[in-house]
C-alpha cells in the first residue's frame, strides 16, 4: 500500500476557486450536514470542581449523577470549572492558530514522514476510494516524555512548546480522577478501569485546522468516526461551531462553550467497560466563511499493553463483548480511513 503526503488543505482552499477537488466530495451526500437542520445537543455540562471535591457529599453526588446521565445518553459531555483559566485556553488556541498561519515552508519543516503518526500533514491515503477530510493537522505525542518526537515540535510561535506542555500537563492531572469517577458511575470499585488501563497514560495532541470550504454541503472536516482512545479531551474553537455527535441515528451539534472542555469516551474505554460506556461517533462539518481550529488530546494506555473488558462487567447475562486488544491505534487508522469502525474488528 503506497502512502503519499498530499498538498495541505489550507493551500487547496486558497487556490481552488470554489472547485473542491473530487476526492474531498462525499458523493452519496450525507444527510443533515447543513447546520440549520441539525438540532443542538443540550444539558450535558459537568462541573469538575464539584465532581472532584469529595468534601460536600451532596453536591459531589449530584455532579456524579450528571456525569452518569451524560455518559449513558451521549458518551460525552462538556467539562466546566476544570481549573484552566479562559485566558490560558485562549493562549492554547492562539499558538495553534499561529502555527497554521505560518508560511507553508515553515510548516513543512515539521512534515510527517511515512510510517509515522507524528508531524504536520493531512490524511494518509490508504485507498483510492477514500474520501478525504477538509483539515490539516499537527499530531504530537505529548506524554510520556520518552515518546516525544521533538523534531516535529514547532519552534514558532515561540510560546508553542511552553504553552502546550503546560496545557497537556494539566489535562493529565484530570485523567485519573475522571476515569475513577466514571468507574463509580457504573457502581464499580473506583480503581477498576485504572488497573486495566495501567497507571501510565499515553497522550497525543491532534491540532486541527479547518479552512473555510466553498462547498460545505458535500465536504466534511472529519468524516464520521469514534476515537481510538480511552478518553479524548477536546478544546474547541471559541467561536466557530463544527463538531457533531451521532445519537440514535440522528446528528446533533455540539455547542461552543468557550471555557469548557469537550470530553468523550473512546473505543478503549468502551472495550474495558464491556460496552457499558459508549464511544460516540462524531464528525466535523465545514463552513464557507470561517476558519476553525481545535485541539484534541487523546489519552490512551501504553500501546504495548493488552487491555480488555474488566472482569467485574462480564457475567452470564452480559458475556464478554470484545476481545482483548493491543496496539489498537494501528487497527484504528486502517479502518478509520475507509470510514469503517475499528471496534467491529474486535467484537466477539
Ligand atoms: C478528532 C475530532 C473534533 C473537532 O480530532 O478526533 O473528532 O472538533 N475532532 O475538531
Ligand atoms: Ni474524534
Amino acid at each position: 500500500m503506497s502512502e503519499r503526503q498530499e498538498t495541505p488543505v489550507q493551500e487547496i482552499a486558497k487556490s481552488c476557486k470554489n472547485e473542491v477537488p473530487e476526492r474531498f466530495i462525499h458523493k452519496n451526500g450525507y444527510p443533515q450536514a447543513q447546520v440549520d437542520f441539525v438540532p443542538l445537543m443540550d444539558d450535558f455540562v459537568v462541573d469538575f470542581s464539584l465532581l472532584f471535591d469529595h468534601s460536600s457529599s451532596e453536591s459531589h453526588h449530584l455532579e456524579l449523577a450528571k456525569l452518569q446521565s451524560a455518559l449513558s445518553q451521549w458518551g460525552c459531555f462538556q467539562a466546566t470549572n476544570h481549573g484552566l483559566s479562559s485566558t490560558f485556553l485562549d493562549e492554547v488556541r492562539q499558538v495553534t492558530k499561529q502555527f497554521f498561519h505560518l508560511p507553508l515552508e515553515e510548516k513543512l519543516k515539521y512534515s510527517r514522514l511515512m510510517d509515522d503518526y507524528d508531524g504536520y500533514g493531512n490524511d494518509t491515503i490508504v485507498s483510492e476510494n477514500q474520501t478525504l477530510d477538509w483539515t490539516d493537522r499537527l499530531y504530537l505525542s505529548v506524554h510520556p516524555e520518552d515518546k516525544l518526537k521533538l523534531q516535529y515540535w514547532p519552534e514558532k510561535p515561540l510560546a508553542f512548546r511552553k504553552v502546550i506542555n503546560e496545557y497537556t500537563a494539566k489535562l493529565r492531572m484530570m485523567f485519573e480522577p475522571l476515569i475513577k469517577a466514571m468507574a463509580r458511575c457504573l457502581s464499580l470499585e473506583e480503581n477498576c478501569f485504572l488497573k486495566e488501563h495501567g497507571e501510565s497514560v499515553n497522550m497525543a495532541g491532534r491540532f486541527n485546522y479547518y479552512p473555510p470550504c466553498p462547498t460545505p454541503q458535500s465536504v466534511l472536516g472529519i468524516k464520521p468516526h469514534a476515537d481510538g482512545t480511552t478518553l479524548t479531551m477536546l478544546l474547541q474553537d471559541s467561536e466557530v461551531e463544527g463538531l457533531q455527535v451521532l445519537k440514535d441515528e440522528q446528528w446533533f451539534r455540539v455547542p461552543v462553550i468557550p471555557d469548557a472542555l469537550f470530553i468523550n469516551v473512546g473505543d478503549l474505554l468502551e472495550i474495558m467497560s464491556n460496552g457499558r460506556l459508549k464511544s460516540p461517533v462524531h464528525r466535523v462539518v465545514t463552513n464557507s466563511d470561517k476558519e476553525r481550529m481545535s485541539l484534541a488530546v487523546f489519552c490512551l494506555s501504553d500501546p504495548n499493553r493488552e487491555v480488555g473488558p474488566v472482569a467485574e462487567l462480564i457475567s452470564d447475562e452480559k458475556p464478554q463483548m470484545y476481545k482483548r486488544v493491543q496496539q489498537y491505534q494501528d487497527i484504528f487508522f486502517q479502518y478509520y480511513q475507509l470510514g469503517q469502525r475499528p471496534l467491529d474488528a474486535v467484537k466477539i
Side-chain angles (χ1 to χ4, degrees), residues 272-288:
M272 286 187 253
S273 72
N274 199 28
R276 292 280 297 282
L277 295 172
K278 295 286 179 215
S279 163
V281 171
H282 51 283
R283 69 181 184 185
V284 177
V285 297
T286 50
N287 78 78
S288 56

Side-chain angles (χ1 to χ4, degrees), residues 206 208 210 222 225 227 234 243 282 284 292 294 296 298:
R206 180 175 151 146
N208 292 301
Y210 307 92
I222 304 187
H225 69 284
D227 296 341
L234 177 83
L243 178 60
H282 51 283
V284 177
R292 178 176 184 269
S294 72
F298 300 133

Side-chain angles (χ1 to χ4, degrees), residues 39-105:
L40 204 60
M41 82 193 276
D42 54 7
D43 202 26
F44 66 119
V45 174
V46 177
D47 182 324
F48 271 12
S49 69
L50 299 176
L51 183 71
F52 297 152
D53 177 7
H54 296 245
S55 63
S56 156
S57 113
E58 196 186 327
S59 56
H60 166 70
H61 279 101
L62 212 63
E63 227 43 43
L64 198 63
K66 281 193 200 164
L67 176 64
Q68 182 173 20
S69 155
L71 291 177
S72 65
Q73 290 181 62
W74 298 94
C76 57
F77 61 92
Q78 307 244 28
T80 56
N81 288 321
H82 38 57
L84 296 169
S85 73
S86 87
T87 324
F88 183 59
L89 295 180
D90 279 339
E91 272 181 68
V92 175
R93 294 185 181 105
Q94 182 82 14
V95 293
T96 304
K97 281 197 175 167
Q98 283 170 342
F99 170 73
F100 286 102
H101 288 167
L102 291 173
L104 179 63
E105 312 79 76

